[in-house]
Amino acid sequence: MQILIYSYNYHPEPIGIAPLMTELAEGLVKRGHQVRVITGMPNYPQRQIYDRYRGKLYVTEHKNGVKIQRSYLRIKSKPNLIDRLLLELSFVFTSLPQALKGERPDVILLTVPPLLVCLPATFIGWIYNCPVVLNVQDILPEAAVRVGLIKNKLMIQALEALEKFAYRTAHTISVIADGFVDNLINKGVPANKIACIPNWVNLNFIRPLPKNNSWRATHQLDDKFVVLYSGNIALTQGLETVIEAASRLRHINDIVFAIAGESQALERLQKHCLACGADNVLLLPLQPREKLPQMLAAADVGLIVQKSNVISFNMPSKIPLLLASGRPIVGSVPATGTAAKAIKESGGGIIVKPESADALASAVLDLYNQPELAAKLGRKGRKFAVENYSFEQALDRYEQLFYDAIAKEATTLDILPELSSNKSLVAQDFLVHTSPLVRVVSQGQMTNDK
Protein backbone atom coordinates (compact mmCIF):
# COMPACT_ATOMS: atom_id res chain seq x y z
CA MET A 1 0.00 0.00 0.00
CA GLN A 2 0.89 3.64 -0.49
CA ILE A 3 -0.10 5.18 2.84
CA LEU A 4 -0.30 8.92 3.50
CA ILE A 5 -0.25 9.90 7.17
CA TYR A 6 -1.48 13.42 7.88
CA SER A 7 -0.26 14.21 11.38
CA TYR A 8 0.48 17.65 12.81
CA ASN A 9 3.01 16.07 15.23
CA TYR A 10 5.81 13.65 14.37
CA HIS A 11 9.42 12.79 15.26
CA PRO A 12 11.52 14.33 16.81
CA GLU A 13 8.80 15.67 19.13
CA PRO A 14 9.10 13.53 22.28
CA ILE A 15 5.57 13.23 23.69
CA GLY A 16 1.94 13.06 22.68
CA ILE A 17 0.89 11.67 19.31
CA ALA A 18 4.32 12.21 17.70
CA PRO A 19 6.05 9.05 19.01
CA LEU A 20 2.95 6.96 18.24
CA MET A 21 2.66 8.13 14.63
CA THR A 22 6.40 7.71 14.17
CA GLU A 23 6.26 4.11 15.41
CA LEU A 24 3.20 3.38 13.26
CA ALA A 25 4.76 4.81 10.10
CA GLU A 26 8.04 2.98 10.58
CA GLY A 27 6.25 -0.24 11.51
CA LEU A 28 4.22 -0.11 8.31
CA VAL A 29 7.40 0.42 6.28
CA LYS A 30 8.92 -2.70 7.85
CA ARG A 31 5.89 -4.62 6.59
CA GLY A 32 6.62 -3.57 3.04
CA HIS A 33 4.34 -0.54 2.65
CA GLN A 34 5.30 2.85 1.26
CA VAL A 35 4.63 5.56 3.84
CA ARG A 36 4.62 9.32 3.38
CA VAL A 37 4.01 11.69 6.31
CA ILE A 38 2.66 15.22 6.02
CA THR A 39 3.53 17.13 9.18
CA GLY A 40 4.53 20.51 10.54
CA MET A 41 7.88 21.82 11.66
CA PRO A 42 8.63 20.24 15.06
CA ASN A 43 7.74 22.57 17.91
CA TYR A 44 6.18 20.59 20.74
CA PRO A 45 6.18 20.83 23.74
CA GLN A 46 8.13 24.10 23.84
CA ARG A 47 5.80 25.65 21.23
CA GLN A 48 8.85 26.95 19.42
CA ILE A 49 10.14 25.70 16.08
CA TYR A 50 13.25 23.58 16.66
CA ASP A 51 16.44 25.40 15.71
CA ARG A 52 17.36 23.39 12.60
CA TYR A 53 13.89 23.94 11.11
CA ARG A 54 13.47 27.62 11.96
CA GLY A 55 12.92 30.06 9.07
CA LYS A 56 12.11 27.32 6.54
CA LEU A 57 8.92 27.01 4.48
CA TYR A 58 9.30 23.34 3.52
CA VAL A 59 11.61 20.51 4.51
CA THR A 60 11.61 16.97 3.13
CA GLU A 61 13.40 14.23 5.06
CA HIS A 62 13.74 10.47 5.05
CA LYS A 63 13.96 8.48 8.28
CA ASN A 64 13.84 4.69 8.59
CA GLY A 65 12.18 4.36 5.19
CA VAL A 66 9.52 7.03 5.83
CA LYS A 67 9.30 10.10 3.61
CA ILE A 68 8.58 13.10 5.87
CA GLN A 69 7.29 16.30 4.27
CA ARG A 70 7.24 19.24 6.68
CA SER A 71 5.64 22.63 6.21
CA TYR A 72 5.75 26.05 7.84
CA LEU A 73 3.70 26.80 10.95
CA ARG A 74 2.74 30.15 12.44
CA ILE A 75 3.33 29.50 16.11
CA LYS A 76 3.49 31.54 19.31
CA SER A 77 5.06 30.36 22.55
CA LYS A 78 2.14 31.74 24.58
CA PRO A 79 -0.83 31.39 22.24
CA ASN A 80 -4.27 32.85 22.78
CA LEU A 81 -7.33 31.45 21.03
CA ILE A 82 -6.72 33.46 17.86
CA ASP A 83 -3.09 32.31 17.77
CA ARG A 84 -4.24 28.68 18.02
CA LEU A 85 -6.66 29.19 15.15
CA LEU A 86 -3.99 30.85 13.00
CA LEU A 87 -1.61 28.00 13.82
CA GLU A 88 -4.08 25.42 12.52
CA LEU A 89 -4.88 27.51 9.46
CA SER A 90 -1.19 27.91 8.63
CA PHE A 91 -0.79 24.13 8.66
CA VAL A 92 -3.92 23.68 6.54
CA PHE A 93 -2.66 25.98 3.78
CA THR A 94 1.05 25.15 3.81
CA SER A 95 0.61 21.38 4.08
CA LEU A 96 -1.69 21.02 1.07
CA PRO A 97 1.02 21.60 -1.59
CA GLN A 98 3.22 19.04 0.19
CA ALA A 99 0.41 16.49 0.19
CA LEU A 100 -0.11 17.00 -3.55
CA LYS A 101 3.63 16.67 -4.19
CA GLY A 102 4.16 12.94 -3.95
CA GLU A 103 2.91 9.49 -4.73
CA ARG A 104 -0.79 8.83 -5.08
CA PRO A 105 -2.00 7.37 -1.76
CA ASP A 106 -4.17 4.27 -1.55
CA VAL A 107 -5.38 5.40 1.87
CA ILE A 108 -4.98 8.48 4.08
CA LEU A 109 -4.69 8.31 7.86
CA LEU A 110 -5.58 11.67 9.40
CA THR A 111 -4.98 12.31 13.11
CA VAL A 112 -7.04 14.88 15.01
CA PRO A 113 -6.56 17.20 16.75
CA PRO A 114 -6.12 19.62 15.07
CA LEU A 115 -9.63 19.49 13.62
CA LEU A 116 -9.17 21.89 10.70
CA VAL A 117 -6.76 19.48 9.03
CA CYS A 118 -9.76 17.42 7.94
CA LEU A 119 -10.21 19.99 5.15
CA PRO A 120 -6.99 19.38 3.16
CA ALA A 121 -7.05 15.64 3.92
CA THR A 122 -10.61 15.34 2.62
CA PHE A 123 -9.65 17.33 -0.48
CA ILE A 124 -6.74 14.97 -1.17
CA GLY A 125 -9.05 11.99 -0.69
CA TRP A 126 -11.49 13.41 -3.23
CA ILE A 127 -8.77 14.08 -5.77
CA TYR A 128 -7.34 10.57 -5.61
CA ASN A 129 -10.57 8.66 -4.92
CA CYS A 130 -8.96 7.13 -1.86
CA PRO A 131 -10.49 6.58 1.59
CA VAL A 132 -9.69 8.82 4.55
CA VAL A 133 -9.37 7.06 7.89
CA LEU A 134 -9.93 9.60 10.66
CA ASN A 135 -7.91 8.79 13.79
CA VAL A 136 -9.54 10.56 16.75
CA GLN A 137 -7.17 11.14 19.67
CA ASP A 138 -9.33 13.77 21.39
CA ILE A 139 -12.91 14.69 20.60
CA LEU A 140 -13.04 18.31 19.52
CA PRO A 141 -14.44 20.87 20.01
CA GLU A 142 -16.09 19.20 23.02
CA ALA A 143 -12.83 18.94 24.95
CA ALA A 144 -11.99 22.62 24.45
CA VAL A 145 -15.53 23.71 25.38
CA ARG A 146 -15.71 21.56 28.52
CA VAL A 147 -12.46 22.95 29.93
CA GLY A 148 -13.39 26.53 29.09
CA LEU A 149 -10.83 27.09 26.35
CA ILE A 150 -13.55 28.09 23.85
CA LYS A 151 -16.54 30.14 25.01
CA ASN A 152 -17.61 32.08 21.92
CA LYS A 153 -20.93 30.60 20.76
CA LEU A 154 -20.37 31.34 17.08
CA MET A 155 -16.95 29.69 17.16
CA ILE A 156 -18.36 26.67 18.97
CA GLN A 157 -21.09 26.32 16.34
CA ALA A 158 -18.56 26.61 13.53
CA LEU A 159 -16.29 23.99 15.07
CA GLU A 160 -19.20 21.64 15.72
CA ALA A 161 -20.17 21.96 12.05
CA LEU A 162 -16.56 21.16 11.12
CA GLU A 163 -16.63 18.15 13.44
CA LYS A 164 -19.78 16.82 11.72
CA PHE A 165 -18.13 17.38 8.33
CA ALA A 166 -15.07 15.39 9.42
CA TYR A 167 -17.18 12.46 10.64
CA ARG A 168 -19.42 12.51 7.57
CA THR A 169 -16.65 12.63 4.96
CA ALA A 170 -14.30 10.13 6.61
CA HIS A 171 -14.60 6.62 5.24
CA THR A 172 -13.74 5.07 8.60
CA ILE A 173 -13.18 6.54 12.05
CA SER A 174 -10.68 4.92 14.39
CA VAL A 175 -10.97 5.84 18.06
CA ILE A 176 -8.72 4.98 20.98
CA ALA A 177 -11.27 4.15 23.70
CA ASP A 178 -14.74 2.68 24.17
CA GLY A 179 -16.06 5.94 25.57
CA PHE A 180 -15.23 7.64 22.27
CA VAL A 181 -17.43 5.10 20.48
CA ASP A 182 -20.44 5.98 22.61
CA ASN A 183 -19.72 9.70 22.22
CA LEU A 184 -19.68 9.52 18.42
CA ILE A 185 -22.74 7.29 18.18
CA ASN A 186 -24.64 9.77 20.34
CA LYS A 187 -23.68 12.44 17.80
CA GLY A 188 -25.24 10.44 14.98
CA VAL A 189 -22.15 8.71 13.56
CA PRO A 190 -23.12 5.29 12.15
CA ALA A 191 -21.85 2.53 14.41
CA ASN A 192 -20.50 0.51 11.50
CA LYS A 193 -18.23 3.40 10.57
CA ILE A 194 -16.27 3.27 13.83
CA ALA A 195 -13.39 0.99 14.85
CA CYS A 196 -11.70 1.06 18.25
CA ILE A 197 -7.93 0.56 18.25
CA PRO A 198 -6.29 1.62 21.53
CA ASN A 199 -3.00 3.45 21.48
CA TRP A 200 -0.11 1.10 22.04
CA VAL A 201 3.15 0.93 23.91
CA ASN A 202 6.49 -0.59 22.94
CA LEU A 203 6.59 -3.38 25.50
CA ASN A 204 10.29 -4.02 24.96
CA PHE A 205 11.14 -0.37 25.53
CA ILE A 206 8.78 0.19 28.48
CA ARG A 207 8.97 -2.74 30.88
CA PRO A 208 9.41 -3.46 34.60
CA LEU A 209 12.96 -2.50 35.57
CA PRO A 210 14.78 -2.19 38.92
CA LYS A 211 13.41 0.67 40.99
CA ASN A 212 16.78 1.86 42.25
CA ASN A 213 18.43 3.11 39.09
CA SER A 214 20.48 6.03 37.79
CA TRP A 215 17.41 8.25 37.31
CA ARG A 216 16.59 7.98 41.01
CA ALA A 217 20.19 8.64 41.95
CA THR A 218 20.46 11.66 39.64
CA HIS A 219 17.47 13.29 41.32
CA GLN A 220 18.43 12.23 44.87
CA LEU A 221 15.39 9.98 45.26
CA ASP A 222 17.10 6.88 46.64
CA ASP A 223 15.06 5.32 49.47
CA LYS A 224 12.11 7.61 48.70
CA PHE A 225 8.53 6.61 47.86
CA VAL A 226 8.13 8.34 44.50
CA VAL A 227 4.73 9.43 43.20
CA LEU A 228 5.19 10.37 39.53
CA TYR A 229 3.27 12.50 37.06
CA SER A 230 4.94 12.96 33.69
CA GLY A 231 3.71 14.41 30.42
CA ASN A 232 1.42 17.06 29.08
CA ILE A 233 0.09 19.56 31.63
CA ALA A 234 -3.10 20.90 30.10
CA LEU A 235 -6.42 22.36 31.16
CA THR A 236 -7.98 18.89 31.31
CA GLN A 237 -5.66 17.80 34.13
CA GLY A 238 -5.74 20.23 37.02
CA LEU A 239 -2.34 19.37 38.51
CA GLU A 240 -3.06 21.74 41.37
CA THR A 241 -4.86 18.78 42.98
CA VAL A 242 -1.57 16.85 42.98
CA ILE A 243 0.24 19.74 44.67
CA GLU A 244 -2.46 19.98 47.34
CA ALA A 245 -2.36 16.20 47.93
CA ALA A 246 1.41 16.42 48.34
CA SER A 247 1.03 19.13 50.95
CA ARG A 248 -1.20 16.83 52.98
CA LEU A 249 1.54 14.19 53.04
CA ARG A 250 4.56 16.43 53.63
CA HIS A 251 4.85 15.19 57.21
CA ILE A 252 6.00 11.81 55.80
CA ASN A 253 9.60 12.39 54.80
CA ASP A 254 9.77 9.27 52.64
CA ILE A 255 7.09 10.41 50.19
CA VAL A 256 8.11 12.64 47.27
CA PHE A 257 5.92 13.79 44.40
CA ALA A 258 7.77 14.22 41.08
CA ILE A 259 6.14 16.16 38.23
CA ALA A 260 7.81 16.36 34.82
CA GLY A 261 6.30 18.69 32.24
CA GLU A 262 6.63 21.80 30.12
CA SER A 263 8.57 24.69 31.65
CA GLN A 264 5.72 27.22 31.41
CA ALA A 265 3.32 24.91 33.23
CA LEU A 266 5.96 24.17 35.87
CA GLU A 267 6.29 27.88 36.65
CA ARG A 268 2.60 27.99 37.49
CA LEU A 269 2.83 24.85 39.61
CA GLN A 270 5.87 26.21 41.45
CA LYS A 271 3.78 29.15 42.65
CA HIS A 272 1.10 26.75 43.84
CA CYS A 273 3.69 24.69 45.71
CA LEU A 274 4.83 27.80 47.58
CA ALA A 275 1.24 28.77 48.37
CA CYS A 276 0.45 25.29 49.73
CA GLY A 277 3.75 24.70 51.50
CA ALA A 278 4.33 21.60 49.41
CA ASP A 279 8.09 21.26 49.87
CA ASN A 280 7.94 17.55 48.96
CA VAL A 281 7.32 18.20 45.26
CA LEU A 282 10.11 17.86 42.71
CA LEU A 283 9.39 19.78 39.49
CA LEU A 284 11.35 18.62 36.47
CA PRO A 285 11.45 19.52 32.78
CA LEU A 286 10.22 16.92 30.32
CA GLN A 287 12.75 14.12 30.26
CA PRO A 288 14.47 12.83 27.10
CA ARG A 289 12.59 9.90 25.60
CA GLU A 290 15.54 7.58 26.17
CA LYS A 291 15.20 8.25 29.91
CA LEU A 292 11.51 7.30 29.98
CA PRO A 293 11.92 3.60 30.93
CA GLN A 294 14.15 4.44 33.91
CA MET A 295 11.93 7.30 35.03
CA LEU A 296 8.80 5.12 35.02
CA ALA A 297 10.67 2.32 36.77
CA ALA A 298 11.86 4.74 39.46
CA ALA A 299 8.26 5.49 40.45
CA ASP A 300 6.40 3.66 43.18
CA VAL A 301 3.09 5.07 41.93
CA GLY A 302 2.09 6.64 38.63
CA LEU A 303 -0.60 9.33 38.50
CA ILE A 304 -3.38 9.91 35.99
CA VAL A 305 -5.16 13.18 36.72
CA GLN A 306 -8.23 14.71 35.09
CA LYS A 307 -10.79 17.31 36.02
CA SER A 308 -14.29 16.19 36.96
CA ASN A 309 -15.83 17.31 33.64
CA VAL A 310 -13.52 15.16 31.47
CA ILE A 311 -15.76 12.21 30.68
CA SER A 312 -15.73 10.72 27.18
CA PHE A 313 -13.61 13.00 25.02
CA ASN A 314 -10.08 12.36 26.36
CA MET A 315 -7.98 9.23 26.93
CA PRO A 316 -4.53 9.79 28.49
CA SER A 317 -1.76 8.09 26.52
CA LYS A 318 0.10 7.72 29.82
CA ILE A 319 -2.15 4.84 30.91
CA PRO A 320 -0.61 2.17 28.63
CA LEU A 321 2.88 3.44 29.51
CA LEU A 322 2.33 3.19 33.27
CA LEU A 323 0.70 -0.23 32.99
CA ALA A 324 3.55 -1.53 30.84
CA SER A 325 6.10 -0.28 33.37
CA GLY A 326 4.59 -2.54 36.02
CA ARG A 327 3.84 0.31 38.42
CA PRO A 328 0.44 0.84 40.09
CA ILE A 329 -1.76 3.72 38.98
CA VAL A 330 -3.75 6.12 41.08
CA GLY A 331 -6.35 7.68 38.82
CA SER A 332 -7.84 10.94 40.05
CA VAL A 333 -10.42 10.81 37.26
CA PRO A 334 -14.20 10.83 36.76
CA ALA A 335 -15.61 7.41 37.67
CA THR A 336 -17.70 7.23 34.47
CA GLY A 337 -14.98 8.44 32.12
CA THR A 338 -12.85 6.61 29.57
CA ALA A 339 -9.71 6.80 31.72
CA ALA A 340 -11.43 5.24 34.75
CA LYS A 341 -12.83 2.44 32.59
CA ALA A 342 -9.38 1.64 31.18
CA ILE A 343 -7.76 1.60 34.62
CA LYS A 344 -10.50 -0.53 36.15
CA GLU A 345 -10.45 -3.00 33.27
CA SER A 346 -6.69 -3.40 33.58
CA GLY A 347 -6.83 -4.17 37.30
CA GLY A 348 -3.66 -2.13 37.59
CA GLY A 349 -4.80 0.84 39.61
CA ILE A 350 -7.08 2.66 42.02
CA ILE A 351 -9.72 5.24 41.08
CA VAL A 352 -10.40 8.19 43.38
CA LYS A 353 -12.67 11.21 43.17
CA PRO A 354 -11.24 13.84 40.77
CA GLU A 355 -10.18 17.27 42.03
CA SER A 356 -10.09 15.93 45.59
CA ALA A 357 -6.69 16.37 47.23
CA ASP A 358 -7.86 14.39 50.27
CA ALA A 359 -8.93 11.38 48.19
CA LEU A 360 -5.69 11.42 46.18
CA ALA A 361 -3.52 11.72 49.29
CA SER A 362 -5.42 8.87 50.97
CA ALA A 363 -4.89 6.54 47.99
CA VAL A 364 -1.17 7.32 47.85
CA LEU A 365 -0.90 6.68 51.59
CA ASP A 366 -2.69 3.33 51.22
CA LEU A 367 -0.15 2.16 48.63
CA TYR A 368 2.73 3.50 50.75
CA ASN A 369 1.50 1.44 53.69
CA GLN A 370 0.66 -1.65 51.62
CA PRO A 371 3.62 -2.47 49.35
CA GLU A 372 2.16 -5.91 48.63
CA LEU A 373 -0.98 -4.26 47.18
CA ALA A 374 1.13 -1.93 45.07
CA ALA A 375 3.13 -4.87 43.72
CA LYS A 376 -0.05 -6.82 42.93
CA LEU A 377 -1.55 -3.90 41.01
CA GLY A 378 1.70 -3.46 39.10
CA ARG A 379 1.78 -7.11 38.03
CA LYS A 380 -1.84 -6.99 36.88
CA GLY A 381 -1.20 -3.82 34.93
CA ARG A 382 1.80 -5.26 33.12
CA LYS A 383 -0.12 -8.41 32.21
CA PHE A 384 -2.98 -6.34 30.84
CA ALA A 385 -0.61 -4.16 28.80
CA VAL A 386 1.03 -7.22 27.24
CA GLU A 387 -2.35 -8.65 26.31
CA ASN A 388 -3.96 -5.45 25.03
CA TYR A 389 -1.47 -2.71 24.21
CA SER A 390 1.28 -4.37 22.20
CA PHE A 391 2.54 -2.50 19.16
CA GLU A 392 2.37 -5.54 16.90
CA GLN A 393 -1.27 -6.02 17.78
CA ALA A 394 -2.08 -2.39 16.98
CA LEU A 395 -0.07 -2.58 13.76
CA ASP A 396 -2.03 -5.64 12.67
CA ARG A 397 -5.28 -3.81 13.31
CA TYR A 398 -4.34 -0.63 11.47
CA GLU A 399 -3.00 -2.57 8.51
CA GLN A 400 -6.22 -4.56 8.28
CA LEU A 401 -8.31 -1.41 8.73
CA PHE A 402 -6.53 0.14 5.74
CA TYR A 403 -7.05 -2.95 3.58
CA ASP A 404 -10.74 -3.02 4.47
CA ALA A 405 -11.19 0.71 3.78
CA ILE A 406 -9.53 0.41 0.36
CA ALA A 407 -11.59 -2.64 -0.54
CA LYS A 408 -14.87 -0.97 0.44
CA GLU A 409 -13.94 2.21 -1.40
CA ALA A 410 -13.19 0.19 -4.54
CA THR A 411 -16.60 -1.50 -4.48
CA THR A 412 -18.31 1.93 -4.62
CA LEU A 413 -16.55 2.85 -7.87
CA ASP A 414 -17.52 1.46 -11.27
CA ILE A 415 -13.98 1.98 -12.51
CA LEU A 416 -10.90 2.44 -10.35
CA PRO A 417 -8.79 5.52 -11.19
CA GLU A 418 -6.18 4.97 -13.85
CA LEU A 419 -2.65 5.00 -12.50
CA SER A 420 0.60 5.50 -14.35
CA SER A 421 3.38 2.98 -13.89
CA ASN A 422 5.18 5.09 -11.31
CA LYS A 423 2.07 5.51 -9.15
CA SER A 424 0.79 3.28 -6.40
CA LEU A 425 -1.46 0.33 -7.08
CA VAL A 426 -2.35 -2.01 -4.24
CA ALA A 427 -2.14 -5.66 -5.24
CA GLN A 428 -5.58 -6.80 -6.31
CA ASP A 429 -5.57 -9.71 -3.91
CA PHE A 430 -6.21 -7.27 -1.05
CA LEU A 431 -9.80 -7.10 -2.27
CA VAL A 432 -10.38 -10.58 -0.94
CA HIS A 433 -8.02 -10.18 2.00
CA THR A 434 -9.96 -10.90 5.18
CA SER A 435 -9.00 -11.06 8.82
CA PRO A 436 -10.78 -10.85 12.16
CA LEU A 437 -8.17 -8.52 13.63
CA VAL A 438 -10.47 -5.53 13.49
CA ARG A 439 -14.23 -5.56 13.54
CA VAL A 440 -16.07 -2.31 13.15
CA VAL A 441 -18.63 -1.49 15.76
CA SER A 442 -22.14 -2.73 15.10
CA GLN A 443 -25.29 -2.12 17.09
CA GLY A 444 -23.37 0.06 19.50
CA GLN A 445 -20.93 -2.67 20.54
CA MET A 446 -17.24 -3.03 19.80
CA THR A 447 -15.32 -6.26 19.43
CA ASN A 448 -11.58 -6.49 18.86
CA ASP A 449 -10.26 -10.02 18.47
CA LYS A 450 -6.95 -10.48 20.21
Side-chain angles (χ1 to χ4, degrees):
M1 283 182 286
Q2 286 278 4
I3 301 168
L4 178 64
I5 297 178
Y6 227 115
S7 178
Y8 171 80
N9 297 106
Y10 196 76
H11 174 86
E13 294 168 313
I15 62 172
I17 191 62
L20 289 169
M21 287 300 108
T22 303
E23 290 173 355
L24 179 61
E26 294 178 359
L28 289 166
V29 165
K30 289 180 180 178
R31 293 198 173 186
H33 304 293
Q34 301 295 314
V35 181
R36 185 161 62 100
V37 174
I38 303 298
T39 189
M41 300 297 177
N43 63 88
Y44 194 72
Q46 295 88 352
R47 294 184 178 87
Q48 293 181 346
I49 303 296
Y50 292 12
D51 288 344
R52 61 173 290 200
Y53 299 94
R54 197 166 295 165
K56 297 180 180 179
L57 183 61
Y58 292 115
V59 173
T60 298
E61 303 170 310
H62 292 82
K63 179 179 179 293
N64 295 334
V66 179
K67 183 178 181 180
I68 308 164
Q69 295 173 273
R70 302 186 184 275
S71 60
Y72 166 81
L73 300 172
R74 179 199 182 276
I75 192 163
K76 299 290 185 181
S77 59
K78 295 182 179 180
N80 57 33
L81 188 58
I82 298 300
D83 290 328
R84 292 175 187 272
L85 179 61
L86 291 174
L87 167 62
E88 291 193 23
L89 285 172
S90 70
F91 184 53
V92 166
F93 287 109
T94 62
S95 66
L96 185 57
Q98 288 283 68
L100 290 169
K101 187 174 66 176
E103 301 80 3
R104 173 203 184 274
D106 296 306
V107 63
I108 298 170
L109 177 68
L110 166 65
T111 65
V112 293
L115 188 57
L116 279 171
V117 186
C118 70
L119 297 176
T122 301
F123 180 68
I124 298 296
W126 284 343
I127 287 178
Y128 291 119
N129 277 335
C130 68
V132 175
V133 176
L134 182 66
N135 175 240
V136 179
Q137 295 286 326
D138 285 304
I139 295 179
L140 297 175
E142 185 175 348
V145 173
R146 289 283 190 94
V147 300
L149 184 62
I150 301 177
K151 298 179 181 178
N152 184 283
K153 291 184 178 180
L154 289 177
M155 181 170 287
I156 292 171
Q157 291 174 357
L159 291 174
E160 287 176 345
L162 184 61
E163 179 189 18
K164 290 178 182 178
F165 172 82
Y167 297 154
R168 185 177 69 253
T169 56
H171 181 281
T172 303
I173 303 170
S174 69
V175 297
I176 61 173
D178 292 355
F180 286 26
V181 175
D182 298 334
N183 188 305
L184 266 58
I185 289 175
N186 289 336
K187 291 177 178 176
V189 179
N192 61 5
K193 196 174 185 175
I194 309 169
C196 185
I197 307 177
N199 285 341
W200 60 90
V201 59
N202 185 331
L203 295 166
N204 294 320
F205 181 59
I206 304 297
R207 63 191 192 278
L209 295 170
K211 187 176 298 183
N212 292 313
N213 55 37
S214 60
W215 194 88
R216 267 189 174 242
T218 298
H219 299 289
Q220 300 178 347
L221 294 172
D222 289 334
D223 302 321
K224 296 294 185 180
F225 185 89
V226 179
V227 183
L228 175 69
Y229 179 91
S230 175
N232 187 33
I233 301 175
L235 291 174
T236 54
Q237 274 93 37
L239 267 290
E240 289 79 6
T241 300
V242 176
I243 303 298
E244 291 160 15
S247 71
R248 285 157 171 75
L249 297 173
R250 64 183 182 273
H251 61 284
I252 304 176
N253 293 331
D254 290 345
I255 299 179
V256 174
F257 285 70
I259 300 176
E262 310 96 301
S263 57
Q264 291 181 6
L266 294 180
E267 291 175 8
R268 186 182 74 248
L269 293 180
Q270 178 64 48
K271 294 177 181 178
H272 202 61
C273 286
L274 293 173
C276 295
D279 56 1
N280 56 344
V281 177
L282 176 64
L283 298 176
L284 300 168
L286 282 172
Q287 302 295 288
R289 185 164 175 78
E290 60 270 18
K291 298 288 186 182
L292 184 59
Q294 283 197 330
M295 180 178 67
L296 294 176
D300 291 275
V301 173
L303 296 182
I304 301 294
V305 184
Q306 291 179 329
K307 290 186 176 180
S308 56
N309 60 354
V310 180
I311 305 297
S312 59
F313 54 81
N314 176 268
M315 175 64 178
S317 59
K318 291 180 284 293
I319 292 177
L321 289 170
L322 289 172
L323 293 174
S325 71
R327 298 297 183 258
I329 292 174
V330 172
S332 174
V333 297
T336 58
T338 52
K341 184 174 181 180
I343 295 169
K344 290 175 184 175
E345 187 178 1
S346 72
I350 299 171
I351 304 299
V352 301
K353 182 181 178 182
E355 299 186 73
S356 171
D358 289 335
L360 180 55
S362 179
V364 169
L365 189 59
D366 285 345
L367 292 177
Y368 172 75
N369 289 325
Q370 301 179 68
E372 68 286 349
L373 173 60
K376 180 181 178 181
L377 293 173
R379 289 192 298 270
K380 284 186 175 182
R382 173 66 186 186
K383 182 175 183 293
F384 187 85
V386 169
E387 294 173 351
N388 295 274
Y389 293 136
S390 76
F391 174 56
E392 288 301 319
Q393 188 181 55
L395 191 58
D396 286 341
R397 293 173 177 176
Y398 272 107
E399 188 178 39
Q400 186 57 44
L401 193 67
F402 296 156
Y403 276 124
D404 291 344
I406 296 168
K408 290 176 183 177
E409 182 79 4
T411 61
T412 65
L413 301 174
D414 293 328
I415 302 175
L416 286 170
E418 291 185 9
L419 303 174
S420 60
S421 60
N422 65 340
K423 301 290 185 179
S424 165
L425 182 62
V426 178
Q428 291 185 2
D429 62 354
F430 83 83
L431 296 173
V432 295
H433 186 96
T434 59
S435 166
L437 285 169
V438 175
R439 296 178 183 173
V440 294
V441 180
S442 62
Q443 298 178 354
Q445 298 295 320
M446 178 204 65
T447 59
N448 282 342
D449 292 341
K450 303 286 190 298

